[in-house]
Amino acid sequence: MSDEPDDLAGLRDEIDRVGRSAARRFDPGTGALTIAVAVLAILLSLVLPWVGDSTGLRVLLGEADAMPKFFSYASLLAGVLLPAITLAVRRWALAWVCALASFAASVSGVLSIWMTQTTTGHQPGPGPGLGLILAVIAIVVLLVKWLRIAASRAGLP
């Protein structure tokens, strides 16, 4: 009979640990499918032209003399690598990191589109290719999804 309070205390501690662990995790629900489609769109955009005839992969690898090089790195990091890690571990803190990284990448992407249209001369620039536009749209979709997931947390423990 004297072991019963110790067993209940141990059970209470275990339940509290499980509760704290669950509070640090999120369930993306159907948003995971939207995130996966956006990641696929970013990967697809790398084989499409970004600036002139230069594909996103050539811009990423530095083989093309193109302006949106920073966006190519940002889209790969914030649009492919971070979402894969975050969906695997499902931690709230990483959801916020993905939201902030997607915001930075989306700003960089919009600036990349603008920079491809402008030059220092009187002639317009080559303009953005289909791949660059697709990558920027996918990053903005990721931004919205990650902000919704990160902000949906009911209360902090």
Side-chain angles (χ1 to χ4, degrees):
M1 286 284 201
S2 63
D3 290 338
E4 190 170 313
D6 291 337
D7 289 342
L8 287 177
L11 183 60
R12 181 177 308 279
D13 288 341
E14 184 177 347
I15 290 172
D16 289 342
R17 276 194 314 270
V18 169
R20 284 190 301 272
S21 174
R24 289 189 300 252
R25 296 182 180 269
F26 67 88
D27 181 20
T30 58
L33 180 62
T34 306
I35 292 169
V37 169
V39 168
L40 183 63
I42 290 171
L43 291 173
L44 175 66
S45 77
L46 291 175
V47 297
L48 296 172
W50 277 31
V51 179
D53 291 334
S54 300
T55 63
L57 192 57
R58 287 187 62 207
V59 172
L60 180 68
L61 296 175
E63 295 175 3
D65 185 29
M67 292 174 260
K69 190 175 288 193
F70 178 77
F71 176 67
S72 67
Y73 298 136
S75 65
L76 187 66
L77 178 70
V80 178
L81 298 176
L82 280 175
I85 293 169
T86 303
L87 286 177
V89 298
R90 297 181 184 218
R91 296 285 185 172
W92 284 105
L94 283 177
W96 278 109
V97 168
C98 281
L100 294 173
S102 297
F103 174 74
S106 65
V107 169
S108 170
V110 171
L111 286 175
S112 295
I113 289 175
W114 176 67
M115 286 173 47
T116 59
Q117 295 174 350
T118 59
T119 60
T120 57
H122 294 291
Q123 298 297 324
L130 178 63
L132 182 58
I133 294 170
L134 179 64
V136 171
I137 291 171
I139 285 289
V140 170
V141 167
L142 285 174
L143 169 62
V144 170
K145 279 315 230 183
W146 285 122
L147 279 176
R148 284 186 180 171
I149 289 172
S152 68
R153 187 172 187 177
L156 298 174

